[in-house]
Amino acid sequence: MTVKIIRGGVFSCLLACYLPAIGSEAYVPPLQPGPFNADAASLQRFRTPDWFRDAKFGIWSHWGPQAVPRQGDWYARNMYDETTSQYRHHLSKYGHPSKSGYKDIIPLWKAERFDPDALMALYVKAGAKYFVSMGVHHDNFDLWNSRYQSWNAVNMGPRRDIVGAWQQAAKKAGLPFGVSEHLGYSYGWFATSHGADKTGPMAGVPYDGNDSAYEELYHPKHNEAMYTTPNLYATNPGWHEQWFKRISDLIDNYHPDLLYSDGGIPFGVVGRTLVANFYNGNMAAHGGKLTAVYTHKNLDKSGEFIAEAGVQDVERGALKGISPLPWQTDTSIGDWFYNENSGYKSTTEIIHTLADVVSKNGNLLLNVVQYADGSLPPEPRRFLQEMAVWMDVNGEAIYGTRPWKVFGEGPTQPAGGHFSEGAAYTPQDIRFTAKGNVVYAITLGVPATQVKIASLGKQASYAGGAIRSVHLLGNNEELKWTQRDDALVVVLPASLPTAHSSALKIELATVQESER
């Protein structure tokens, strides 16, 4: 199947408006009136709103045309790399990318079973307190009725406003709504589409990204390949303008409570201006109160987060200790896009990740993988059912909590930073959260007969006074417990209320909640 570019009308206007921007001189974006401006010092005045700090758990739909081949993340890029399995899959199923390219995958994304209201009901039942929709991935395909990109989900593929449908479903469910943008990297990321096979019978035959008829999707041919700049972003100022206009269009149309950038703040003053506008617009709509959250991954050369503009996002990992600022882990139950060759995280692993992240002042944003038609595979559906049971009992230890004096204890020492997930926890690994004079101790596993908590022993520096009571969430039995010098020891009932993990509610004589 080949996509035809429609000449004349809106499509030709969009294409004509797009192409001259590439290669233009430095772009100076317009700043909206309000207390924030594009200076880093101004954006450092951001304070995380309480809704985000209290929510702790969000669900993400990281979804789009790249789900069609069922081969996982980065398909649009890797199908043009003859060394990858995705290239080999594309060649065998769709044909050589000189003729059948990513442009021909997009019409196959129909989303014919996409029911956002039904999905949102499952997410709410599973405990999600906010929802994030993909806005645009590195594949340069907008999932809304985009003003500046004719390659969008309303014009082709589902012929439906995916972002708008998610927004309405989240609004009806009472959830804060977010959007994710991965567009900044696209200019270099998609450079593979401009190449050709280096070996074999089609060596030297240009891929379809070289056809100027499809420049709006694949970008004009250029010399900036991925990873040519220190922060992975292209230096072309015309591309900066395109990014700014499209993401501004996304914000202006859907007024998200949260905006996620897959990377650091893009393009210096251009990106900072967009963030300032996001905040200023949000404050204007909320009587001068800032309720918006911007999450990003800006790090300095030593790997430390640059506390600028918003909330730190850590991809598929966590921090090693309690952060003084709220932050977020983003991860997926499986591959980022549906992959028939990929496994899934267990409910146990996700619950343990959630407890670890929350104990360190973070939130967990979890991608629930969808088929291309919009429905859920059986594994994510099973997870949502199991998560609903656990959260119904133990959510008190998660929602609205703050870090305690120490995030946890136990034999397992997980790594910190991006792509560091996968620690094998034991029931002796414990994570703490707090509310007032209550400390919750969440076991990262299913304890057998008792729980021993060294951090709450009489002689522990964290203890801070006598213990008034100890209860097991989901259980009404009177527990036997002893606060020894070396540890608080709690004898458990014969039957535990939930699988995966248990949470003890420990009432102390004095307020122990962190001031973070």
Side-chain angles (χ1 to χ4, degrees), residues 19 128 137 164 215 251 319 393 410 426 437 460:
L19 294 179
H137 198 249
E215 284 187 353
I251 293 169
L319 301 184
V393 172
T426 72
N437 68 328

Side-chain angles (χ1 to χ4, degrees), residues 170-207:
K171 183 177 180 180
K172 283 187 279 186
L175 294 186
F177 175 71
V179 290
S180 67
E181 71 84 11
H182 313 241
L183 184 62
Y185 294 160
S186 179
Y187 192 69
W189 187 88
F190 232 165
T192 53
S193 67
H194 300 154
D197 286 0
K198 295 180 175 61
T199 61
M202 300 293 285
V205 177
Y207 297 146

Side-chain angles (χ1 to χ4, degrees), residues 29-37 248 251-252 273 276-282:
L31 178 69
Q32 295 181 12
F36 288 93
N37 60 51
S248 295
I251 293 169
D252 293 344
T273 302
N277 289 348
F278 177 45
Y279 289 157
N280 289 339
N282 175 269

Side-chain angles (χ1 to χ4, degrees), residues 31-47 272-273 275-291:
L31 178 69
Q32 295 181 12
F36 288 93
N37 60 51
D39 293 336
S42 172
L43 295 177
Q44 286 171 2
R45 295 167 45 229
F46 168 83
R47 294 296 179 267
R272 293 196 300 272
T273 302
V275 177
N277 289 348
F278 177 45
Y279 289 157
N280 289 339
N282 175 269
M283 293 180 71
H286 292 87
K289 181 180 179 181
L290 180 60
T291 65

Side-chain angles (χ1 to χ4, degrees), residues 314-331:
V314 179
E315 183 174 348
R316 289 194 183 272
L319 301 184
K320 296 197 72 171
I322 298 174
S323 169
L325 297 173
W327 58 283
Q328 175 179 268
T329 283
D330 75 270
T331 191

